[in-house]
Amino acid sequence: MEQYFPLILLALAAILLFVLPARQRKRMQEKAQHLQNSLTVGTPVMTTSGLHGTVAGLGDTTIDLQIAPGVVVTFARQAILEVRTPAGIADTRGDDGTGEAPAGGRPADGTL
């Protein structure tokens, strides 16, 4: 049994180095695919390069983003990193989840 111990350790190392990262990568791809499928016109998004815009049109492999009034640019769907909440819409609950305003009397979004 002792002669097989190095082989067992090698097999465990292979699992840790190859199988587990592959599973995590697959989960990340599924999450990205779900995000891209859930996009609709009017959704505020951020691209992988940090550009913020609003979805103006959807193609099979591309997405049109309005980045300023009257300025629409086309990106690959894979360039969408996350869906953003508009700046005017903030979580109105306090930090403790009670629904009360945060201490200091300022709104949660930091505006005066």
Side-chain angles (χ1 to χ4, degrees):
M1 182 67 181
E2 290 180 19
Q3 65 188 11
Y4 296 117
F5 188 70
L7 292 175
I8 292 171
L9 285 179
L10 187 62
L12 288 175
I15 290 172
L16 291 175
L17 293 175
F18 297 110
V19 176
L20 295 178
R23 290 182 62 211
Q24 182 179 6
R25 191 171 33 252
K26 183 177 179 181
R27 270 188 259 127
M28 298 279 288
Q29 288 174 341
E30 288 174 355
K31 183 179 176 182
Q33 186 66 41
H34 176 70
L35 171 84
Q36 292 169 9
N37 290 339
S38 69
L39 294 174
T40 59
V41 173
T43 304
V45 296
M46 183 176 74
T47 65
T48 54
S49 61
L51 184 74
H52 292 252
T54 304
V55 177
L58 297 166
D60 289 338
T61 59
T62 61
I63 187 166
D64 295 331
L65 296 182
Q66 181 175 354
I67 57 174
V71 180
V72 177
V73 293
T74 302
F75 281 89
R77 278 188 176 249
Q78 293 82 8
I80 304 303
L81 179 64
E82 63 184 35
V83 174
R84 304 292 293 184
T85 54
I89 301 174
D91 188 8
T92 57
R93 296 180 308 163
D95 289 338
D96 58 0
T98 62
E100 297 177 11
R106 289 189 176 182
D109 63 1
T111 58
L112 296 176

